[in-house]
Amino acid sequence: MDESATLRTRVLDAAEALFYARGLQTVGMDEIRTTAGVSLKRLYQLFPSKECLVRAYLHRRDAHWRAKLAEYVDARPSAGERIPAVFDWLHLWFSEPGFRGCAFINAFGELGATSDVVAEATRTHKEAFRRYVAGLVAAVGAPAALADQIALLAEGAMTTAAVSGSPEPARQGRAAARTLLEAALTRSPAGAAARPS
């Protein structure tokens, strides 16, 4: 990794820690510069504006978040275990120290009405998650409409966990997802063999 890439990673690490903990609007470029240990001139060479840095932060956060989710869920041995595993992974995430909810929901709440960068990044992230869930639903032979319902349960669990400070909404979402999935598979002969465990 060359020096520029190393500095870019350091700046993004600092930005992610600060933005996630405190929000996009309250953290300035000077604080990010100090935390990353780079000069302000170098920071602006890497990211010509705060908007550029926010875009890069959200893009990287999206890639890391979805990769971690897929790594956990896709490791389940059967298709029927993968939808409940989404909520098991959410429970682990909600239990992490410093969990503040979904970075995209938080960013959209702050700037979604005024920043096209934030609105687009949030919509892209949420649609990618919905497509991932749709793939899990298709793999068990359940109706496609179930994907939106499962994704909505997960999104609600994220928000509720952040507000309540408890990981339990993941367990509640898992139970509701299992109920919906079992009902869908009961009505779908193709999915009968893929019932969740």
Side-chain angles (χ1 to χ4, degrees), residues 28-47:
M29 293 293 270
D30 195 54
E31 186 174 5
I32 291 167
R33 173 200 67 79
T34 301
T35 303
V38 300
S39 71
L40 202 55
K41 179 180 178 183
R42 189 68 176 119
L43 174 59
Y44 279 108
Q45 286 172 344
L46 293 166
F47 301 98

Side-chain angles (χ1 to χ4, degrees), residues 143-184:
L146 183 64
D148 290 332
Q149 296 166 353
I150 300 292
L152 189 60
L153 285 171
E155 296 292 350
M158 289 177 215
T159 302
T160 305
V163 171
S164 69
S166 166
E168 284 313 299
R171 297 281 189 240
Q172 295 156 353
R174 185 187 201 277
R178 283 176 54 87
T179 299
L180 289 171
L181 183 56
E182 287 171 2

Side-chain angles (χ1 to χ4, degrees), residues 24 51-52 54-55 58 104 107-108 110-124:
L24 302 177
E51 184 177 68
C52 289
V54 167
R55 180 187 289 113
L58 291 173
F104 294 87
F108 191 85
E110 275 192 90
L111 295 173
T114 58
S115 169
D116 290 341
V117 165
V118 168
E120 181 183 342
T122 302
R123 289 184 185 114
T124 299

Side-chain angles (χ1 to χ4, degrees), residues 44-111:
Y44 279 108
Q45 286 172 344
L46 293 166
F47 301 98
S49 68
K50 185 175 177 182
E51 184 177 68
C52 289
L53 180 56
V54 167
R55 180 187 289 113
Y57 151 66
L58 291 173
H59 177 76
R60 187 175 82 156
R61 179 102 186 173
D62 168 64
H64 287 177
W65 189 91
R66 290 192 295 118
K68 286 183 194 174
L69 171 67
E71 179 182 17
Y72 182 88
V73 172
D74 296 350
R76 305 285 79 77
S78 72
E81 295 175 84
R82 292 185 188 127
I83 291 171
V86 168
F87 294 89
D88 295 337
W89 183 81
L90 289 177
H91 190 275
L92 293 172
W93 177 40
F94 298 168
S95 301
E96 290 177 2
F99 171 75
R100 280 197 67 247
C102 172
F104 294 87
I105 293 171
N106 296 345
F108 191 85
E110 275 192 90
L111 295 173

Side-chain angles (χ1 to χ4, degrees), residues 78-81 139-141 185-186 188-197:
S78 72
E81 295 175 84
V140 296
L185 293 177
T186 298
S188 171
R195 290 204 175 128
S197 57

